[in-house]
Amino acid sequence: MWLGPEEVLLAGALWVTERANPFFLLQRRRGHGKGGGLTGLLVGTLDVVLDSSARVAPYRILHQTQDSQVYWAVACGSSRKEITKHWEWLENNLLQTLSIFDNEEDITTFVKGKIHGIIAEENKNEQPQSEEDPGKFKEAELKMRKQFGMPEVEKLVNYYSCSYWKGRVPRQGWLYLTVNHLCFYSFLLGKEVTLVIQWVDVTQLEKNATLLFPECIKVNTRDSELYFSMFLNINETFKLMEQLANIAMRQLLDNESFLQDKSLPKPRKPLKNISALKRDLDARAKNECYRATFRLPKDECLDGHTDCTLWTPFNKTHIPGQMFVSNNYICFASRAEEACHLIIPLREVTIVEKADSSSVLPSPLSISTKSKMTFFFANLKDRDFLVQRISDFLQRTPSKKPCGTDREWKWNLADASCEEVPELPSSSPLAISPMSALGHRPVNFCAGEVPTASQGLLKLFRRNSEELSGPKGAKEKMKEESWNIHFFEYGRGMCMYRTAKTRELVQKGIPENLRGELWLLFSGAWNEMVTHPGYYADLVEKSMGKYNLATEEIERDLHRSMPEHPAFQNELGIAALRRVLTAYAFRNPTIGYCQAMNIVTSVLLLYCNEEEAFWLLVALCERMLPDYYNTRVVGALVDQGIFEELTREYLPQLSEKMQDLGVISTISLSWFLTLFLSVMPFESAVVIVDCFFYEGIKFILQVSLAILDANMEKLLKCCDEGEAMTILGRYLDNVVNRQSVSPPIPHLHALLTSGDDPPLEIDIFELIKTSYEKYSNLKADDIEQMRFKQRLKVIQSLEDTAKKSVVRAVSGDISFSIEELEELYVVFKAKYLMSCYWGNNRAAAAARRDQSLPYLEQYRIDMEQFRDLFISLTPWACGAHTPVLAGRMFRLLDENRDSLINFKEFVTGMSGMYHGDLTEKLKVLYKLHLPPALNPEETESALEATSYFTEDVTTEELDICLHCESQETQEDKGRRNENGPEKEEKGTSPQDYRYYLRMWAKEKESKKETIKDLPKMSQEQFIELCKTLYNMFSEDPVEQELYHAIATVASLLLRIGEVGKKFSNRPTRKSEDCKANNTQDPVSEEESPTSEQSQNSAVEQQPQADHEEKASIDAQPEKTQQENQTLGDVSGEGQGSPLQLLSDDETKDDMSMSSYSMVSTGSLQCEDIADDTVLVGCEGSSAAARYGSTIDTDWSISFEQILASMLTETALVNYFEKKVNILQKIKDQKKVERQFSSSSDYELSSVSG
């Protein structure tokens, strides 16, 4: 490429001049190309270690003048072809012009101006999308593509200098991290190391330090363990590797491919050597952390953050921390974790203003809300810019009033005792919902107004309890009063100051009247609900009356959801649960419905109205417990792995025992999926849910550890899993909540007792207190880090399970070994995944994978992907004809005609080519030249061929010469006809279920196809078959012998077809008589000539045919030399048939039609056969004149005849029966599975080296 002229002082250092003229030099870098010796090795090593641009461009052109010692680099190239093009342009366009100048300075000025002009012209045509990337980074990306053969769609994220440890020897080089690959290149003194690893293949990624590998990054795949060290910034590198591996895991899990965020704001100042993709990934990481910290909606994007202090009125101090500003929220997090958190939705903000600075409040910013709260932020570095950004976001905030506000919420609570809700069955003032956002407007869920639209089920089904006036009632009122005092001091609603005091109150249990409100606040569900008014009601309306797999599962589980609670013993509670679960299934069809969702949702409905329960379920499934509720419960398995890891860390003695018993994997899923609701008494489990909504998964893990710790002594004495489960079950059954004011609900979880001793009760609040005392040092950030590590392990384990399931499912029907099938599955899956990030239609490729389908159907490839695999794996290489054969194979395998094939169909096609005897392989080849494999567009007479194969069976029966059916076959047909009415009668009898079972079993049995089931082949299809065979033999070591053999076989088959046509033409003219005769007196096997007799007849008459064919060749006019020359139709006395092998445009072959050879079918010589050969055998000239060059539609040949003819040639038998090792083919395919961005000699040589 052309370069902006750069000054070069030492033109000869490390470069060799190859061409020169008075004004320019063309140079090659030492160490590139052949030779170079020790100097070349040293130069190559320096280029790699120092990241020299010469690794990208080993050729360059310098401008010079005679008397000047200064040179100017004007062009560089990665290949000799590229640099020669530039050199020739300079010689043709500039040399004559430059010779006119007298002043050398003018010459240099003119050259520089010309080169700048060329570069400017080229830049006009370039897409501006990558302008953000700095020049140095673009050079590194180009280097990566050249070195590893990556296409342009593969984007480089960043690159780092490091060492790769090969054994105990470090190889210094460069690590390139792309969106889909980890690549490493090193060249030291002639030793080259090239690594390319797909992120989807990474099974473990960790940063560790050992004596052997100081501060290194370990990357594990299924078959290798790699160590990289000596990073300048190992933390940044590891963090980026984690992100890229995580994106790959998401792709495996739910087909989420990486899409760059084009809306990312440009940096205020240019960033050196940081790509736009790196900025995008950094922004994503910050966004995820921001959303997780403050429980914000998934589409919230952080705009920026700054250090500041927050004035807290409750303790009159400045708390140092950070302010975060996004599109819809202003948030604050203190540096001390528990000091203070604050979330201010912009929809609540009324005034943002700069207050006067003082010694107490330097550079303060005042923010006022609708709930009459004012927040003061101070010590802001860029206050003016911050105010402007917040003002911009406020202008974009919708001005419409949401369905409820915090202020209305507070008012509802204050005046709860004065409201009356007419539909409530209870007159108790506590029956009124304090936090309903829908309390001021009726909600019609398509079938009239329902009570659960405005309040929780607990209010509707509360029985009169003496506990309300007893000590428990007094305790409950004290809790409510504590929360009211807290609200007064710290604020209420979304803008509440969240401090250590808030956590203490949550740990003591949330009052029942406030439970729904605080769940919504702490989970962040309130934000989504108020910004989506009417969303739930619309979903209910749309999903009403619609049925699918999810709704069937929901119906099945409705009556299993807390059946012990009175709220779910009648249709009101069941209907509310049905609406919420169905609405969510329609909102998120990827999850749909998963078991355990019904248990959690039923508890949510007790304390919240339907809409609030729906948004809490959204928060749970999509943010707080990611990937928990899907078909493979990946999220729960990930957290189970974390639990095992924490058990090893905190309870090492117990961990080994639990591992031996296999208990953790059994208990943790039921604990985590239902948040203990299915294993603890309801009154106790709901306190766990209180803390979970405030703390997140961290609390579930620490309570689980506390439960194991409390039962350690008993568990260590256990002998088997059942005993351990009994101990834990009994313990959890007796966790009680003595402060609950609700009537006790019978716990249907099995009460497991041993002996006569009464079980020991455990107070839930004591358990929670113990968990905080022992395990409160668990950090949310650490858990997220562990989640990443476990996610890699879990998803790769699931992928391995899927592979084994698929291989096991297909191994019975396929001849490949288990090892071969596993390797083929890896290649097949890799080709599918490659289409997801490199294909032309990546979105469509990703959409093809349906996680609800069986493993065998999840990965499916299209024609283009199959063609690539076929070309690299087929044992039948046909040169330029191979893609055509691949297309036919694809159509043959695609039985359901959806233009996609699954793994079983793929290996079925491969097995047909690799395994079996000559007959089986020829059968596959034969089918590839019949419809549907043979595309109608590939032959001129396709319609005739198709109609030929749809003729009545009688036509085949009348072909008494070459394909006469045996007496036994005729009798079988007769029996089938006799059984026909009987089957119909059985079909009408609903009682005969055994008949249906037999029919079903027969359908399930794979019918063994015999050679007699194959239809006959027309003349045109036979031509295509011969063309394929000639292409197939073109590169074989015994090529000439094979050509001679196939020429002999083709000639023989040609005559057999003609003889068969001659015998079948007579009865065809009297078809009606023949049909009658055939029905009354079928032709016996003895009366009809066999195919062998026909072949003998053809051989006997061959000399006469030779004489006639030679005469026809001499008389053949030149006009028959056409691109689509066809065969002469024959129905006269001669037995010869014209045969032509050619490559036309329709079959997409690039073979030349400039030369051809007319030879006799009886004396065909192998020397005359070439890729562009036209093989013609003609009958007498009179026949040729009569029929011209048209395809003979009456001519046909059967598979038995082709097989019998091929068996006469040893060379053909040996070719089709030789064994080919597919594992070697797969190994070779993996080496070249990446596409090459261009075909320059430098790229290919460097990649292959």
Side-chain angles (χ1 to χ4, degrees), residues 891-907:
R891 288 188 289 273
L892 180 66
L893 297 174
D894 183 21
E895 294 180 359
N896 59 358
R897 301 288 173 268
D898 63 349
S899 299
L900 296 170
I901 62 170
N902 61 27
F903 178 69
K904 184 175 183 179
E905 293 165 337
F906 170 71
V907 292

Side-chain angles (χ1 to χ4, degrees), residues 14 216 276 407 461 516 596 608 882 939 997 1007 1094:
L14 310 181
C216 66
R407 186 179 178 186
F461 290 92
C608 309
T882 310
T939 55
L997 289 174
K1007 297 178 181 178
S1094 303

